[in-house]
Amino acid sequence: MSTPWGYRPRNNREEPQWDLHPQTHAVRAGLARSGFGETSEALYLNSGFTYSNAEEAFSSFADETDHFLYSRFHNPTIAMFEQRLAAIEGAEFCVATGSGMSAMFASLACLVEQGDHVVASAAMFSSCHVVITEFLPKWGVTFELVKGNDPAAWAKALSKPTKAVFIETPSNPLMEIVDIQLVSDLAHKVGATVIVDNVMASPVLQKPLQLGADVVMYSATKHIDGQGRVLAGAILGSAQYIQEKLMPFTRHTGPSLSPFNAWVLVKSLETMQMRVERMVENAQAIAEFLESRKEIKSVRFPGLKSHPEHALAMKQMNGGGGTTVGIEFVGDQSEVFAFMNRLKIIDISNNLGDSKSLITHPASSTHRRLTPEVQAEMGITPSVLRLSVGLEHSSDLIKDLTQALN
Ligand SMILES: *Cc1c(COP(=O)(O)O)cnc(C)c1O
């Protein structure tokens, strides 16, 4: 794999002549060893680079491919992360950013201009909702929100000229599923670029580019780090989108990732598949347990047969139901808070995709910024909790939930 700036690993071995499994990419892709031959990926914690002479500086700036210039543009450790994630995702290129939100904003802002129209699934992360419904309109970009699991609504919305389609699937927190293939086909007929927020599924469970989407974005803060340490984001897509649209925007607006955070993430990617697979197993067991309890009105988890888009989810998400469970309680907010306060292992927190199981009350935290009407459209009531299932043993998690419910 080479990057847009032509960075080459310094080792003399030939690359394997067969297609590698994503797990092998997760350990090996992008690894660029220095002359010291270090085993683990090196941390290049520097902002700038030097040139051996004026002519080298001249040619480096003229043809920005042979020499790193400045860590706002690129950096060897960040490049290792970008190349590794691109290999796992099966994307031509990747640009890493300082947070998931800077990735989301840049992925759209580099495409749209005044007079353009954006269509998005209504159930989405609240900051993404703010970008599409409050910021883009300030710059003359109109929007329409569609019920994500309603194909007829997508067909209607995408009968008009549209520049970009933004979908989050599964949605946060209630795990609604959007048919990526169906929406991509409709979007391409009107010339729209399809961007998928793949945070909830992670690169392990869902490959939107293979389903017809054009661009994938991540909050790498979630499963990619998965250990609650760093904020980061990433945007993946074709060479054309990344080089012609995205990079001219990100280079000059500067949502860059820190090389230190990239170094943490390079190592996180090595274990991502194993972590996510175990979290999916744990989440499935917990969702089934919760569904059997009388205190719970409904459990939203794509791995359950009761989920309205169960069949689509299983097809689209590589047979895994996800790592996050939406829970609607019979009781009101005070009973839900009392349940949260009785938990002895699961932490009250607003992150997800973490090795530690975390419980969130979306109405008063992650989705607080939305009006009660918008929350209601997304199905978020004061009786709803989101449980991000971690890597503890499922038997302990079920014991914790049981004692808190009783
Ligand atoms: C967390 C999250 C984001 C934003 O990511 P940050 O890294 O917190 O900026 C975007 N979309 C979804 C679905 C998320 O869960």
Side-chain angles (χ1 to χ4, degrees):
M1 287 269 311
S2 63
T3 65
W5 46 90
Y7 189 59
R8 301 272 184 283
R10 273 201 222 167
N11 63 40
N12 300 322
R13 283 196 292 182
E14 266 177 35
E15 293 197 3
Q17 297 306 304
W18 61 91
D19 283 342
L20 296 175
H21 190 278
Q23 176 55 32
T24 304
H25 284 314
V27 179
R28 295 274 173 183
L31 172 57
R33 293 195 168 111
S34 77
F36 294 116
E38 64 281 353
T39 318
S40 169
E41 294 72 9
L43 171 53
Y44 293 91
L45 201 50
N46 60 308
S47 51
F49 300 84
T50 60
Y51 311 91
S52 8
N53 49 51
E55 288 72 20
E56 188 182 66
F58 177 92
S59 61
S60 301
F61 274 84
D63 166 23
E64 299 177 348
T65 56
D66 288 340
H67 203 296
F68 287 101
L69 301 173
Y70 190 46
S71 291
R72 167 149 52 79
F73 301 164
H74 39 70
N75 164 286
T77 309
I78 298 172
M80 287 192 245
F81 169 61
E82 291 171 335
Q83 290 190 33
R84 188 164 290 184
L85 187 59
I88 295 169
E89 191 73 41
E92 284 182 328
F93 285 124
C94 171
V95 168
T97 61
S99 71
M101 282 321 301
S102 55
M104 183 274 175
F105 177 66
S107 73
L108 270 172
C110 76
L111 275 181
V112 294
E113 56 189 75
Q114 189 178 16
D116 281 343
H117 185 64
V118 172
V119 176
S121 47
M124 63 181 142
F125 186 68
S126 72
S127 294
C128 300
H129 192 273
V130 171
V131 167
I132 290 175
T133 65
E134 294 180 34
F135 293 149
L136 294 187
K138 284 205 294 189
W139 299 313
V141 176
T142 57
F143 71 89
E144 181 173 343
L145 302 183
V146 172
K147 177 114 188 67
N149 57 5
D150 182 352
W154 282 108
K156 186 155 170 270
L158 291 173
S159 61
K160 297 175 228 107
T162 303
K163 192 58 171 276
V165 172
F166 184 81
I167 44 189
E168 178 179 313
T169 180
S171 68
N172 176 3
L174 287 172
M175 305 300 276
E176 192 177 280
I177 304 291
V178 181
D179 188 333
I180 297 174
Q181 183 94 59
L182 177 129
V183 174
S184 299
D185 289 348
L186 290 168
H188 291 155
K189 287 197 187 118
V190 290
T193 299
V194 178
I195 304 169
V196 176
D197 180 336
N198 207 32
V199 170
M200 299 294 282
S202 89
V204 177
L205 295 182
Q206 185 166 274
K207 297 267 192 282
L209 300 178
Q210 289 173 13
L211 297 166
D214 303 294
V215 177
V216 178
M217 60 124 300
Y218 287 106
S219 163
T221 317
K222 312 295 166 57
H223 304 84
I224 294 178
D225 172 38
Q227 290 151 86
R229 301 170 298 185
V230 298
L231 276 178
I235 306 151
L236 298 109
S238 65
Q240 197 212 354
Y241 169 81
I242 299 280
Q243 289 180 300
E244 289 172 23
K245 302 283 184 195
L246 185 71
M247 281 175 52
F249 183 84
T250 52
R251 284 174 155 232
H252 302 294
T253 53
S256 329
L257 180 63
S258 148
F260 180 80
N261 290 358
W263 177 76
V264 171
L265 295 165
V266 158
K267 303 307 289 175
S268 305
L269 283 176
E270 295 181 351
T271 57
M272 175 178 65
Q273 180 167 344
M274 287 164 271
R275 287 185 282 108
V276 171
E277 282 171 358
R278 177 60 63 86
M279 287 155 90
V280 169
E281 272 174 36
N282 283 355
Q284 182 75 35
I286 285 170
E288 287 170 11
F289 160 75
L290 289 171
E291 210 171 33
S292 72
R293 294 289 305 212
K294 63 178 188 323
E295 299 86 350
I296 310 288
K297 193 162 148 199
S298 69
V299 181
R300 314 286 177 86
F301 184 69
L304 292 177
K305 296 221 167 56
S306 59
H307 189 285
E309 294 98 37
H310 172 69
L312 170 63
M314 290 298 101
K315 195 171 97 195
Q316 186 165 280
M317 292 169 63
N318 207 7
T323 64
T324 306
V325 184
I327 312 165
E328 192 181 0
F329 282 72
V330 175
D332 61 11
Q333 176 165 304
S334 64
E335 287 166 78
V336 169
F337 278 18
F339 163 80
M340 294 169 83
N341 292 338
R342 282 191 296 267
L343 291 166
K344 295 182 195 301
I345 296 173
I346 299 167
D347 288 307
I348 300 172
S349 178
N350 43 286
N351 202 358
L352 61 89
D354 199 277
S355 55
K356 294 183 171 56
S357 293
L358 306 173
I359 199 139
T360 310
H361 184 249
S364 63
S365 62
T366 51
H367 293 67
R368 183 190 195 99
R369 179 84 175 60
L370 304 176
T371 62
E373 297 75 55
V374 175
Q375 285 192 5
E377 273 168 35
M378 294 188 185
I380 299 168
T381 71
S383 301
V384 166
L385 291 181
R386 179 187 79 195
L387 174 60
S388 167
V389 181
L391 292 175
E392 303 92 342
H393 199 275
S394 61
S395 64
D396 283 324
L397 295 174
I398 290 175
K399 279 181 195 150
D400 196 23
L401 292 164
T402 306
Q403 63 83 24
L405 283 170
N406 283 346

